[in-house]
């Protein structure tokens, strides 16, 4: 009897998890369905989570625009360069402030934590970026915010929980701090590095507000800014005019959804590669200590 109750409970739990998973992925399925559905189906509102009158005319228009490829190039550069810079700086800061023998460790840690709760605001930040000559450059989107304090705290906690005996043994053998970091700490920290890299990459890929403030040149637009232009109708007229030459009219809604899909799918591809590190990295870095 007890076994039957446990089995029934597991079945109910699986059903609830499946339902929750469907609720979470339904918006994305709806976006994909709209982007590959026919004009009449979109116009009549019959599209849900599967396409009707399948066609890819919206993607032909979107991917045929050089502006989209330029925006993709800019976003990839910002994501790769920003993630690399952020990881290097976060690792160095977290490793240094996890050392108990570092003079002023508590002061520097408190100073960094202070910036997590208080900041100068948007206008001082804008003036600082402009005075540094970063305005209207791609560097303005990742250099000023290259270290996330929350990610720094999680990584520092992870480093603090690595056994000190490993470092002490290396130091006795004459290893420098940088060699300890490269040969001992980093190989043991792959889960947290992958997790923080994922956090940074998603943040840079989705950067929108900073790009809206600091970028004026159209050739430097990110994918999110280009998507904004499309959603606000700044490019729909040209797109719809081009649609007449394809033979099947593509509604502006399909164009919008196709652009959303194009801007979302690349970052989703990264998740499966880093998923195995995600839970382990966050749990070990935030719960222990």
């Amino acid at each position: 009897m007890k076994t039957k109750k446990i089995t029934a409970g597991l079945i109910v739990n699986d059903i609830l998890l499946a339902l929750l998973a469907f609720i979470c992925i339904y918006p994305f399925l709806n976006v994909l369905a709209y982007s590959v559905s026919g004009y009449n189906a979109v116009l009549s509102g019959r599209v849900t989570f599967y396409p009707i009158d399948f066609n890819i005319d919206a993607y032909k228009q979107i991917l045929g625009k050089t502006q989209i490829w330029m925006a993709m190039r800019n976003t990839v550069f910002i994501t790769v360069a920003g993630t690399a810079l952020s990881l290097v700086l976060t690792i160095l800061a977290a490793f240094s402030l996890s050392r108990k023998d570092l003079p002023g460790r508590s002061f520097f840690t408190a100073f960094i934590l202070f910036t997590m709760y208080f900041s100068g605001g948007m206008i001082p930040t804008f003036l600082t970026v402009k005075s540094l000559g970063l305005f209207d450059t791609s560097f303005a989107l990742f250099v000023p915010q290259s270290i996330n304090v929350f990610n720094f705290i999680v990584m520092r906690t992870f480093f603090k929980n690595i056994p000190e005996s490993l470092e002490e043994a290396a130091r006795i053998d004459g290893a420098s701090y940088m060699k300890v970091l490269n040969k001992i700490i980093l190989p043991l920290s792959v889960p947290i590095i992958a997790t923080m890299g994922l956090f940074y990459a998603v943040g840079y890929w989705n950067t929108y507000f900073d790009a809206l403030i600091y970028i004026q040149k159209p050739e430097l637009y990110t994918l999110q800014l280009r998507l904004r232009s499309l959603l606000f109708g700044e490019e729909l007229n040209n797109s719809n005019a081009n649609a007449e030459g394809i033979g099947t009219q593509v509604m502006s809604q399909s164009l919008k959804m196709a652009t959303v899909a194009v801007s979302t799918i690349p970052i989703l591809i990264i998740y499966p590669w880093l998923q195995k590190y995600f839970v382990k990295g966050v749990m070990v870095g935030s719960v222990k200590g």
Side-chain angles (χ1 to χ4, degrees), residues 56-246:
I56 58 173
D57 292 340
Y59 286 96
K60 289 180 180 178
Q61 292 186 58
I62 294 300
L63 297 179
K65 297 172 71 67
T66 57
Q67 295 92 331
I68 292 295
W69 291 108
M70 290 175 61
M72 179 74 75
R73 179 199 62 191
N74 296 333
T75 302
V76 169
F77 168 74
I78 292 167
T79 302
V80 174
T83 301
L85 177 64
S86 295
L87 281 178
V88 170
L89 296 180
T90 303
I91 289 172
L92 293 177
F95 175 72
S96 300
L97 294 176
S98 66
R99 305 300 93 190
K100 295 181 179 180
D101 57 345
L102 177 68
R105 183 181 66 146
S106 299
F107 169 78
F108 289 114
T109 302
F111 186 81
I112 294 175
L113 288 176
F114 181 84
T115 64
M116 186 176 182
Y117 300 102
F118 304 97
S119 66
M122 184 175 66
I123 294 177
T125 303
F126 176 85
L127 294 175
T128 300
V129 170
K130 190 172 183 179
S131 64
L132 292 174
L134 299 177
F135 182 74
D136 217 7
T137 68
S138 297
F139 297 100
L141 303 184
F142 62 87
V143 173
Q145 56 270 17
S146 53
I147 294 183
N148 181 281
V149 178
F150 173 79
N151 295 345
F152 157 77
I153 294 173
V154 174
M155 187 169 288
R156 185 181 71 104
T157 304
F158 186 95
F159 289 163
K160 287 175 63 177
N161 285 280
I162 294 178
E164 295 182 6
S165 57
L166 297 176
E167 180 180 348
E168 291 174 354
R171 295 291 293 168
I172 292 175
D173 290 338
S176 63
Y177 280 111
M178 289 304 299
K179 192 168 185 179
V180 170
L181 175 63
N182 292 328
K183 300 296 184 180
I184 297 177
I185 303 299
L186 293 184
L188 295 174
S189 305
V190 173
I192 195 65
I193 293 174
T195 302
M196 295 300 104
L198 179 62
F199 284 172
Y200 280 124
V202 172
Y204 287 126
W205 182 270
N206 293 325
T207 184
Y208 164 72
F209 188 68
D210 288 342
L212 185 63
I213 295 175
Y214 301 130
I215 301 299
Q216 291 184 338
K217 298 177 182 176
E219 60 270 21
L220 294 179
Y221 275 12
T222 64
L223 205 53
Q224 309 307 324
L225 275 186
R226 190 59 62 186
L227 175 60
R228 170 186 175 273
S229 298
L230 185 63
L231 293 178
F232 285 172
E234 297 175 11
E235 300 178 3
L236 288 180
N237 292 333
N238 294 333
S239 296
N240 285 330
N242 294 332
E244 297 176 0
I246 297 178

